[in-house]
Amino acid sequence: MREIRVLTGRTMKLYLKNPLSILFSFVYMLLFIVLISMFLGDYMAKGMMEVYAGVEGMDFSHIRWLVDTTSMAGVLMINCILVPLNVLTIMVQDSSDNRLDSFLVSAVSRDKLVIGYWLAPFLVGIVMNTLCFFISQGFIMMNGGAWLGMQSNIEMIGLIVANTFSATSILFVVAMLMKNASLYSTFTGIMSALVGFITGAFLPIGMFPANIQKIFAFIPAHHGATMMREVMTKEPLAATFGGVADQTVQGTFMTAHEIVDIYAAENGITYMFGNTQVTFPIMLAVVIGSGLLFLVFSIFWMKRYKKH
């Protein structure tokens, strides 16, 4: 255990001693807050009001709260990916500079070596993302929203742990296979650009073609973002759609439940695989299962790794 603690502490200190590393942990959230505050939040809220103007019983005074929670849930999932991604740069740099080879010939077992390197991005990710979660709630309250209830807060922290676990395990394998610092830096840049689309933060999944939407079933990060949106929007969704009754909308009779389901599916609050809704337990199993699978693979691969 001492070896794991020392290696984990070393990696965390190397990451946290660089102020830019900490800034990059919050950059997406800060960027979204600026964009939403300046114009994007009002634009999205007005767009929703126009689309659902024909639905009787909606309380549009809560639509901004709903839009903000939907957006910030996606940002939190982005952070669950980018924070471990950045921390793992240290392991790749160790491999590139042959420091990893020195650890391999030491008395430290390879299992402990994997856990030591893996724990640092996992723990930093949990702390950073939990802090981001509470900051995001403060931002939502500033715009007229409300602080989530105790149960929702606990569920969100649990999802932060689960999503950080999955993202860390998957990215750990990528970092081990790349070894080269410059190549990993390129990968980091590509991921930073794509992660917003993978999580549905930039574009709601309802805007993608049906065949593309099915591909998201194989992306744990998408399931993680969907679960976060489901938890964070539970209260604002009820406040906005709580007064909606069964009615005819644009010539089609719809139940209140169907109206809410359409909104939730189009905005990534629920995930439909074809005509079947993927349940919360299944999505959670995909997220945790993928983390366990890749972590086991990491240990297996490290046992067979040969030094340069």
Side-chain angles (χ1 to χ4, degrees), residues 87-165:
V87 179
L88 284 167
T89 301
I90 295 169
M91 187 187 79
V92 178
Q93 192 64 56
D94 282 349
S95 178
S96 183
D97 296 341
N98 296 325
R99 278 190 290 269
L100 180 59
D101 288 350
S102 299
F103 292 134
L104 290 172
V105 297
S106 68
V108 181
S109 70
R110 299 197 175 196
D111 293 357
K112 292 181 179 179
L113 198 60
V114 170
I115 298 301
Y117 271 121
W118 178 89
L119 265 179
F122 177 59
L123 294 177
V124 172
I126 291 174
V127 173
M128 291 292 189
N129 292 320
T130 300
L131 181 58
C132 286
F133 169 55
F134 290 119
I135 292 175
S136 70
Q137 289 201 74
F139 162 74
I140 291 169
M141 289 184 68
M142 289 174 57
N143 288 328
W147 195 267
L148 295 180
M150 179 63 72
Q151 181 178 343
S152 295
N153 273 285
I154 294 173
E155 289 176 356
M156 279 300 298
I157 293 174
L159 287 175
I160 287 172
V161 173
N163 285 320
T164 305
F165 169 73

Side-chain angles (χ1 to χ4, degrees), residues 176-194:
M176 284 198 310
L177 296 177
M178 285 193 171
K179 303 178 186 178
N180 184 279
S182 60
L183 179 61
Y184 188 77
S185 179
T186 302
F187 172 76
T188 300
I190 294 173
M191 278 299 298
S192 298
L194 292 179

Side-chain angles (χ1 to χ4, degrees), residues 18-295:
N18 185 355
L20 286 178
S21 299
I22 300 175
L23 177 62
F24 287 144
S25 298
F26 295 93
V27 67
Y28 257 95
M29 186 188 71
L30 295 174
L31 177 61
F32 262 74
I33 287 177
V34 170
L35 291 176
I36 292 173
S37 298
M38 291 181 64
F39 66 90
L40 195 57
D42 288 335
Y43 175 79
M44 291 190 294
K46 289 178 181 177
M48 291 299 176
M49 291 172 66
E50 291 175 0
V51 172
Y52 287 86
V55 179
E56 298 179 0
M58 286 191 64
D59 186 350
F60 289 112
S61 65
H62 296 296
I63 195 70
R64 179 60 191 269
W65 182 19
L66 180 57
V67 166
D68 285 347
T69 51
T70 303
S71 300
M72 296 314 296
V75 174
L76 286 170
M77 187 61 232
I78 290 175
N79 280 1
C80 286
I81 296 172
L82 292 187
V83 174
L85 180 70
N86 289 328
V87 179
L88 284 167
T89 301
I90 295 169
M91 187 187 79
V92 178
Q93 192 64 56
D94 282 349
S95 178
S96 183
D97 296 341
N98 296 325
R99 278 190 290 269
L100 180 59
D101 288 350
S102 299
F103 292 134
L104 290 172
V105 297
S106 68
V108 181
S109 70
R110 299 197 175 196
D111 293 357
K112 292 181 179 179
L113 198 60
V114 170
I115 298 301
Y117 271 121
W118 178 89
L119 265 179
F122 177 59
L123 294 177
V124 172
I126 291 174
V127 173
M128 291 292 189
N129 292 320
T130 300
L131 181 58
C132 286
F133 169 55
F134 290 119
I135 292 175
S136 70
Q137 289 201 74
F139 162 74
I140 291 169
M141 289 184 68
M142 289 174 57
N143 288 328
W147 195 267
L148 295 180
M150 179 63 72
Q151 181 178 343
S152 295
N153 273 285
I154 294 173
E155 289 176 356
M156 279 300 298
I157 293 174
L159 287 175
I160 287 172
V161 173
N163 285 320
T164 305
F165 169 73
S166 175
T168 300
S169 298
I170 294 171
L171 294 171
F172 189 87
V173 171
V174 175
M176 284 198 310
L177 296 177
M178 285 193 171
K179 303 178 186 178
N180 184 279
S182 60
L183 179 61
Y184 188 77
S185 179
T186 302
F187 172 76
T188 300
I190 294 173
M191 278 299 298
S192 298
L194 292 179
V195 70
F197 297 98
I198 294 173
T199 61
F202 291 166
L203 286 175
I205 187 173
M207 297 184 66
F208 290 94
N211 290 335
I212 299 298
Q213 292 183 29
K214 291 181 179 179
I215 296 176
F216 284 97
F218 304 98
I219 304 177
H222 170 260
H223 293 300
T226 302
M227 288 188 293
M228 283 187 164
R229 279 190 286 265
E230 183 175 337
V231 172
M232 285 194 72
T233 61
K234 190 181 302 180
E235 294 163 32
L237 196 64
T240 305
F241 287 87
V244 174
D246 300 350
Q247 58 188 279
T248 299
V249 181
Q250 296 181 350
T252 303
F253 180 79
M254 304 175 69
T255 65
H257 186 68
E258 288 174 334
I259 295 172
V260 175
D261 283 349
I262 290 173
Y263 179 90
E266 288 179 345
N267 290 277
I269 298 172
T270 58
Y271 175 53
M272 303 294 295
F273 186 80
N275 296 321
T276 304
Q277 180 178 337
V278 181
T279 63
F280 194 100
I282 291 177
M283 290 189 289
L284 185 60
V286 170
V287 170
I288 296 177
S290 63
L292 289 171
L293 178 65
F294 278 85
L295 181 57

